[in-house]
Amino acid sequence: MSESTIVLITGANSGVGYATAKTIVSHPNYHVILACRDASKGQEACSQLQTTNTQGTLSVIQLDVEDDASISKAVNTVSEQFGRVDVFISNAGTTSPGSTGRDKIGKIFSTNVFGAMLVSEAFVPLLLQSRRPCLIQISSGLGSLALAYDLQSAHSVAPWDEYRMSKAALNMMTIQMHKRLKDQNIRVFAFCPGLVRSMLRGSSEEAVSAQGHAGDPMESGKAIMEIIVGRRDGDVGKFLHKGGCYPW
Ligand SMILES: NC(=O)c1ccc[n+]([C@@H]2O[C@H](COP(=O)([O-])OP(=O)(O)OC[C@H]3O[C@@H](n4cnc5c(N)ncnc54)[C@H](OP(=O)(O)O)[C@@H]3O)[C@@H](O)[C@H]2O)c1
């Protein structure tokens, strides 16, 4: 097990996180820790993954990125079980469908910004125990200030103001982490998984499929695998998507 690359994914029971776990665990010599706020959903995802073509190994931990006690407990558990994390994928996120006003912006920032920052910082000491550490923040093209301002860009059209603001803040955090951690050899990236099917926008088929526009999250998983194996190392510290880089 200690020879395997240890990958931890937050929000791994659904959508992009689940597809990424499925992609990674289809390769040998990877151990994927499914970090899920609802441990029973994590176990269910793990059981489902074990029915697929798994060559790597899997485990589940409870991790709510909005709960400091849960974060500390998860860090201690991973430290005791593995002693390090090689790849940390900060994926948990929300658009808080159904909420409005202060509740909506509070929930979105609590998860996508405060949660992502505090959980990522908490796992840095375990990343520093890795020979080849990598930290991937799952962002969105909707968080790009440059694309939002470019009226020719498809990314300038969608509303989603609170979500956009949260991903713009996440991008700033990624830049800051990259500058601080690059000399300690942590490869830090922001990555947009593209518009793909998931529960992010709600649970109706219309929301899951983004009115029929959403692609397959397995494509996002494959692109994340490219980052993990080093094929995007020329883009360390940048805002990646499957086919290139976005402007911040
Ligand atoms: N799908 C897209 O088109 C798209 C596009 C661009 C970016 N993204 C980004 O991709 C990431 C994954 O989203 P998704 O599309 O896969 O949506 P999803 O299917 O809704 O998955 C989100 C995951 O995050 C988890 N989560 C939410 N709050 C959490 C918390 N406080 N602590 C721990 N886990 C929490 C959810 O857990 P529960 O199941 O318990 O709710 C779920 O596992 C997000 O950061 C999203 O912004 C997605």
Side-chain angles (χ1 to χ4, degrees), residues 94-95 104-105 108-109 112-113 139-151 153-172 239 248:
T94 187
T95 63
K104 188 177 190 78
I105 194 162
I108 290 176
F109 268 70
N112 299 3
V113 184
S139 183
S140 166
L142 293 179
S144 163
L145 297 176
L147 293 178
Y149 199 67
D150 174 2
L151 299 182
S153 163
H155 283 90
S156 76
V157 180
W160 301 95
D161 293 15
E162 301 89 343
Y163 178 73
R164 281 175 177 275
M165 289 158 62
S166 74
K167 293 298 188 180
L170 182 82
N171 286 352
M172 177 60 80
F239 183 9
W248 295 108

Side-chain angles (χ1 to χ4, degrees), residues 34-185:
L34 307 172
C36 305
R37 65 173 159 185
D38 179 336
S40 64
K41 283 192 191 174
Q43 289 298 347
E44 205 178 305
C46 187
S47 303
Q48 259 173 36
L49 286 169
Q50 271 155 349
T51 66
T52 66
N53 172 33
T54 57
Q55 302 209 44
T57 51
L58 293 159
S59 60
V60 178
I61 53 166
Q62 195 277 336
L63 175 54
D64 182 339
V65 303
E66 294 173 84
D67 177 344
D68 290 342
S70 167
I71 294 174
S72 296
K73 198 169 165 206
V75 169
N76 289 339
T77 303
V78 174
S79 176
E80 279 163 22
Q81 289 181 352
F82 304 100
R84 69 174 200 281
V85 170
D86 298 304
V87 181
F88 186 86
I89 305 179
S90 169
N91 164 76
T94 187
T95 63
S96 195
S99 64
T100 56
R102 190 176 290 275
D103 285 347
K104 188 177 190 78
I105 194 162
K107 177 67 185 161
I108 290 176
F109 268 70
S110 174
T111 309
N112 299 3
V113 184
F114 308 155
M117 180 165 188
L118 293 170
V119 76
S120 301
E121 295 288 1
F123 275 92
V124 165
L126 286 176
L127 279 167
L128 290 172
Q129 298 305 311
S130 168
R131 269 177 287 148
R132 201 161 175 278
C134 178
L135 170 57
I136 303 172
Q137 293 292 347
I138 303 301
S139 183
S140 166
L142 293 179
S144 163
L145 297 176
L147 293 178
Y149 199 67
D150 174 2
L151 299 182
Q152 306 304 315
S153 163
H155 283 90
S156 76
V157 180
W160 301 95
D161 293 15
E162 301 89 343
Y163 178 73
R164 281 175 177 275
M165 289 158 62
S166 74
K167 293 298 188 180
L170 182 82
N171 286 352
M172 177 60 80
M173 180 192 89
T174 309
I175 293 170
Q176 292 300 97
M177 289 190 91
H178 163 62
K179 289 189 294 188
R180 188 155 38 83
L181 297 173
K182 67 179 166 38
D183 293 337
Q184 297 175 80
N185 295 323

